[in-house]
């Protein structure tokens, strides 16, 4: 069994592992199709059109891809050669005879061919997808070919794009576009009957774990599924269920959760990120046909008396805004080591949480958050239009993303909308209000275990937390706003610090919610060369001035007895935004121990 602690953070799907897989992240053929003629001219069968070379999994706009062209190119094509060694490394013939081709993410719409056969189509720029390719494999060929056509119209504002700019050059808070493949591509061989999805949740009040299991098809006859849970190699629970359909649920009793002393050592938290390993085995007529390894965290998230609770105890959220952007590789990490390093950096700066802003992070980043102990606010990229197409696209993509990440213990809050992006008339338009509320309720239906924000920052319709975005530069002003309960109630009931209504009709029904300031700070301080238009929400002149300003605003919100947490903007400089705690190469602008002391409320 591969334990959570023994994983090295390289498997692209860390909570559903088999022994073998083969990444296709390599140099491959590439072509622009600016006139959209490739489909009519059958480029999937024409090797000669792929005159460029690109390095996967990096987007062609990034220098790391070897292309580095940031212009408008709405359609791109890839040609990846797959060898017999790749097939063997995927486990074909050893762990299974069904070959799957996985994509971590392709922005935005992808068509896939294998050995000339069209094997699948997918829409959604942030969501993973899988296509079975066994039927398309040309058995008489020593080398096989995967061709991908990706379409991402930069002018289509119904596409969830987040911080990707639609203008020719980055402006304001938007960055270079990401077109086509930007997450890992990989092969995996599986048995004919195999597990396709696992989801874990915990009910600490009764000491149980719930497993939601999905198979690729309904078995021809009932099969047995055995579940073994261990912690540090010691058994935690065992369970067997009989499965007759392609989906099944199991409620597994964990005896140690009934004992207060035993429970504590098993519970996941940032200070004690305990993980439980899981092995799930499918047995047909006494023969094990599929075995997968997973892991989970035993923990609860809740709200009570205006406080955010982790494992039924109040916790103050010390968050930082994470854009997840690198200068050479853009929205894709430059390498897998960078994902672990990012989590370690955030923790070293004194934060216990991060808000991933306007993108969805790599599952391997979430693995390191699970493993090292960092709470995450799960967000998605926004669309900027409001119409039926934008509603359909964002809803479908968001539902898939909640499904993808719902088993990670690090994820403690869902944020489907931010600052009324894509619903800019939500204060007045009943349709936009219905969409914001509907997304929140859909999220709770998909995952009732976590709080949900209908719209982070202002104009809340149906949020479990009430959150402010406030870039006031004066610590004294922030302290007065958030330490005075009367002033806080006045802002919540009316106009917030940015001039937006805070709570729309019906948002305040029921008990008061925990209140947080989830964007603030944004102090610009350049420690090196900057691009044209570099900016921040306020500015520091030198290192001492930056430290003084940073401490003033952080201490003002941290010390408020009426706030359950905060999220500082932001972790790193990102292109023209020079308001990071660190520069774009992840070097802190003041010593990390000083930042951590300020964030935790200790004297630096």
């Amino acid at each position: 069994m591969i334990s959570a602690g023994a994983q090295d953070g390289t498997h692209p799907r860390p909570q559903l592992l088999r022994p073998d897989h083969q990444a296709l992240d390599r140099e491959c053929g590439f072509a622009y199709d600016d006139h959209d003629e490739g489909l009519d001219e059958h480029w999937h069968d024409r090797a000669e059109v792929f005159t460029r070379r690109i390095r996967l999994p990096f987007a062609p706009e990034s220098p790391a891809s070897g292309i580095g062209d940031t212009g408008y190119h709405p359609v791109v094509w890839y040609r990846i050669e797959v060898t017999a060694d790749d097939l063997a490394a995927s486990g074909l013939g050893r762990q299974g005879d069904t070959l799957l081709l996985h994509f971590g993410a392709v922005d935005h719409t992808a068509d896939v061919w294998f050995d000339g056969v069209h094997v699948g189509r997918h829409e959604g720029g942030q969501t993973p997808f899988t296509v079975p390719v066994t039927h398309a494999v040309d058995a008489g060929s020593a080398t096989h070919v995967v061709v991908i056509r990706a379409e991402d119209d930069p002018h289509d504002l119904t596409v969830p794009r987040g911080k990707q700019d639609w203008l020719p050059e980055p402006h304001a808070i938007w960055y270079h576009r990401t077109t086509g493949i930007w997450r890992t591509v990989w092969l995996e061989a599986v048995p004919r009957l195999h597990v396709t999805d696992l989801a874990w949740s915990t009910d600490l009040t009764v000491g149980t774990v719930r497993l939601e299991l999905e198979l690729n098809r309904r078995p021809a006859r009932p099969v047995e599924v055995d579940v073994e849970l261990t912690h540090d190699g010691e058994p935690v629970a065992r369970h067997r269920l009989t499965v007759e359909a392609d989906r099944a649920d199991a409620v597994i009793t964990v005896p140690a959760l009934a004992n207060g002393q035993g429970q504590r050592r098993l519970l996941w938290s940032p200070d004690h990120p305990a993980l439980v390993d899981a092995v799930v085995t499918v047995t047909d007529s006494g023969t094990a046909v599929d075995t997968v390894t997973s892991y989970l965290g035993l923990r609860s998230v809740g709200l009570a008396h205006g406080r955010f609770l982790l494992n039924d105890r109040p916790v103050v959220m010390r968050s930082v805004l994470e854009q997840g952007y690198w200068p050479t590789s853009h929205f894709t990490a430059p390498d897998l080591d960078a994902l672990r390093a990012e989590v370690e950096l955030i923790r070293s700066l004194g934060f216990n949480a991060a808000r991933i802003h306007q993108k969805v992070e790599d599952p391997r980043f979430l693995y390191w958050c699970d493993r090292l102990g960092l709470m995450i606010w799960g967000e998605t990229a926004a669309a900027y239009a409001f119409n039926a197409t934008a509603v359909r696209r964002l809803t479908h993509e968001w539902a898939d993303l909640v499904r993808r990440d719902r088993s990670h213990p690090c994820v403690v809050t869902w944020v489907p909308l931010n600052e009324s992006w894509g619903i800019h008339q939500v204060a007045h338009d009943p349709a936009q209000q219905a969409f914001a509320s509907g997304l929140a309720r859909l999220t709770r239906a998909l995952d009732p275990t976590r709080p949900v924000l209908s719209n982070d920052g202002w104009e809340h319709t149906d949020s479990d937390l009430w959150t402010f975005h406030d870039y006031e530069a004066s610590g004294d002003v922030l302290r007065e706003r958030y330490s005075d309960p009367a002033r806080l109630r006045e802002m919540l009931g009316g106009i917030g610090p940015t001039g937006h209504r805070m709570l729309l009709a019906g948002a305040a029904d029921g008990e008061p919610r925990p209140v947080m300031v989830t964007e603030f700070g944004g102090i610009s301080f350049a420690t090196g060369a900057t691009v044209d238009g570099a900016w921040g929400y306020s500015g520091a002149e030198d290192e001492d001035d930056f430290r003084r300003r940073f401490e003033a605003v952080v201490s003002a919100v941290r010390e408020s007895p009426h706030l359950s947490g905060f999220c500082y903007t932001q972790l790193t400089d990102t292109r023209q935004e020079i308001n990071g705690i660190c520069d774009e190469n992840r070097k802190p602008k003041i010593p990390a121990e000083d930042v951590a002391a300020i964030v935790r409320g200790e004297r630096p």
Side-chain angles (χ1 to χ4, degrees):
M1 179 180 74
I2 302 174
S3 70
Q7 287 193 48
D8 60 5
T10 62
H11 197 285
R13 194 184 53 208
Q15 288 185 296
L16 204 169
L17 281 75
R18 294 181 181 87
D20 300 314
H21 73 284
Q22 177 62 14
L24 301 180
D25 299 334
R26 58 184 63 159
E27 191 176 88
C28 72
F30 180 76
Y32 288 121
D33 187 7
D34 292 346
H35 301 294
D36 197 12
E37 58 193 13
L39 283 175
D40 292 337
E41 296 183 0
H42 302 284
W43 282 14
H44 61 276
D45 281 330
R46 296 177 56 194
E48 71 274 11
V49 302
F50 295 89
T51 57
R52 297 172 179 259
R53 305 293 290 176
I54 190 170
R55 181 73 184 179
L56 299 181
F58 305 111
E61 290 86 354
S62 70
S65 71
I67 302 289
D69 185 341
T70 60
Y72 288 138
H73 298 289
V75 180
V76 297
W77 290 71
Y78 303 81
R79 186 179 188 274
I80 308 171
E81 293 189 352
V82 177
T83 67
D85 288 342
D86 291 326
L87 297 184
S90 75
L92 192 63
R94 185 171 56 256
Q95 71 181 22
D97 299 318
T98 299
L99 188 63
L100 303 178
L101 178 61
H102 301 282
F103 294 86
V106 181
D107 204 354
H108 170 261
T109 303
D111 283 276
V112 184
W113 291 260
F114 195 100
D115 283 350
V117 178
H118 188 265
V119 291
R121 179 178 176 85
H122 179 263
E123 180 181 317
Q126 299 184 99
T127 50
F129 64 99
T130 299
V131 289
V133 299
T134 312
H135 66 287
V137 175
D138 183 353
S141 177
T143 302
H144 307 276
V145 176
V146 177
V147 174
I148 304 101
R149 175 189 181 272
E151 182 174 356
D152 187 19
D153 182 353
H155 301 295
D156 186 350
L157 300 186
T158 68
V159 171
R161 64 179 61 254
K163 300 295 287 273
Q164 298 182 52
D165 210 325
W166 56 93
L167 298 181
E169 293 297 326
H171 79 291
I173 60 171
W174 288 278
Y175 318 137
H176 284 303
R177 288 171 292 284
T178 293
T179 301
I181 295 171
W182 66 289
R183 288 247 163 91
T184 185
V185 182
W186 55 293
L187 288 169
E188 181 186 34
V190 297
R192 288 186 176 88
L193 178 67
H194 58 272
V195 176
T196 57
D197 191 42
L198 298 172
W200 305 98
S201 57
T202 307
D203 187 342
L204 296 182
T205 62
V206 293
T208 60
V209 168
R210 182 186 180 197
L211 166 63
E212 300 171 61
L213 171 77
E214 183 177 296
L215 303 175
N216 65 307
R217 59 176 172 83
R218 179 184 293 272
R221 52 187 171 271
V223 295
E224 303 296 326
V225 175
D226 290 290
V227 184
E228 181 182 4
L229 304 182
T230 61
H231 173 66
D232 288 342
E234 297 181 1
V236 171
R238 288 187 175 91
H239 189 85
R240 169 173 284 190
L241 65 153
T242 300
V243 177
E244 300 181 6
D246 58 349
R247 291 175 174 84
D249 289 359
V251 176
I252 304 166
T253 298
V254 180
L257 291 180
N259 181 312
Q261 292 180 334
Q263 185 185 82
R264 284 195 294 273
R265 70 181 180 87
L266 292 178
L267 296 188
W268 185 94
S269 71
D271 295 329
H272 180 67
L275 296 177
V276 172
D277 296 305
V279 176
V280 177
T281 303
V282 180
T283 302
D284 184 1
S285 301
T287 301
V289 296
D290 192 22
T291 299
V292 296
T293 299
S294 184
Y295 72 86
L296 59 146
L298 305 179
R299 64 106 183 91
S300 67
V301 177
L303 311 171
H305 305 291
R307 293 299 173 186
F308 188 97
L309 306 181
L310 182 68
N311 299 327
D312 209 37
R313 298 293 183 270
V315 61
V316 175
M317 198 77 61
R318 304 190 308 270
S319 304
V320 66
L321 197 72
E322 161 69 300
Q323 306 285 3
Y325 190 94
W326 283 264
T328 61
S329 56
H330 296 185
F331 285 113
T332 307
D335 53 54
L336 295 181
D337 290 340
L339 296 174
R340 175 172 185 159
E342 196 85 337
V343 178
E344 291 175 333
L345 172 64
I346 295 169
R347 284 180 50 85
S348 75
L349 296 173
F351 297 102
N352 61 10
R355 178 177 163 220
I356 310 302
H357 190 40
Q358 285 300 299
K359 67 174 287 198
V360 175
E361 263 302 347
D362 193 306
R364 292 167 290 194
F365 175 85
L366 298 180
Y367 162 73
W368 287 115
C369 295
D370 293 337
R371 171 89 180 275
L372 300 178
L374 184 71
M375 293 183 289
I376 293 296
W377 286 38
E379 193 167 324
T380 187
Y384 290 96
F386 181 78
N387 55 38
T389 300
V391 167
R392 175 187 63 80
R393 283 177 162 168
L394 184 59
T395 301
H396 187 273
E397 194 162 321
W398 176 245
D400 284 350
L401 293 168
V402 171
R403 174 185 174 90
R404 192 200 77 170
D405 293 340
R406 67 196 188 282
S407 294
H408 286 282
C410 66
V411 178
V412 297
T413 304
W414 295 118
V415 186
L417 293 170
N418 167 71
E419 290 188 348
S420 304
W421 292 3
I423 52 166
H424 62 281
Q425 292 297 331
V426 68
H428 310 285
D429 184 353
Q432 295 184 21
Q433 293 172 13
F435 181 46
S437 297
L439 271 180
R441 292 166 188 169
L442 171 66
T443 307
R444 295 187 191 102
L446 294 169
D447 174 19
T449 71
R450 295 172 172 91
V452 183
L453 274 74
S454 60
N455 185 26
D456 191 29
W458 50 69
E459 295 175 338
H460 294 272
T461 61
D462 183 14
S463 291
D464 296 320
L465 308 169
W466 291 335
T467 58
F468 288 89
H469 292 180
D470 188 345
Y471 285 104
E472 168 59 50
S474 167
D476 291 339
V477 173
L478 288 173
R479 182 171 281 102
E480 189 273 333
R481 280 179 183 166
Y482 298 105
S483 295
D484 180 351
R487 179 69 186 278
L488 191 56
R489 286 194 300 270
E490 179 185 357
M491 288 193 298
L492 283 169
I495 304 298
T498 60
H500 296 83
R501 295 169 174 83
M502 288 305 301
L503 305 180
L504 303 184
D509 293 347
E511 294 184 5
R513 279 58 147 187
V515 179
M516 298 187 189
V517 178
T518 49
E519 284 189 31
F520 76 107
I523 304 164
S524 67
F525 173 43
T527 55
T530 62
V531 300
D532 291 340
W535 68 281
Y537 292 92
S538 63
E541 297 179 355
D542 53 32
E543 184 175 311
D544 288 340
D545 189 30
F546 178 80
R547 180 188 285 104
R548 179 184 60 78
R549 290 172 178 268
F550 179 72
E551 182 172 15
V553 296
V554 171
S555 63
V557 298
R558 189 196 63 239
E559 292 168 4
S560 168
H562 310 294
L563 296 177
S564 290
F566 59 83
C567 180
Y568 183 85
T569 302
Q570 59 189 4
L571 179 64
T572 67
D573 289 352
T574 309
R575 278 199 51 83
Q576 67 272 22
E577 292 183 14
I578 56 170
N579 52 12
I581 298 169
C582 307
D583 66 17
E584 64 179 3
N585 295 311
R586 275 56 185 173
K587 181 181 178 182
K589 296 178 180 178
I590 59 176
E593 56 269 24
D594 288 2
V595 175
I598 292 169
V599 168
R600 294 188 186 116
E602 305 161 355
R603 296 296 298 177

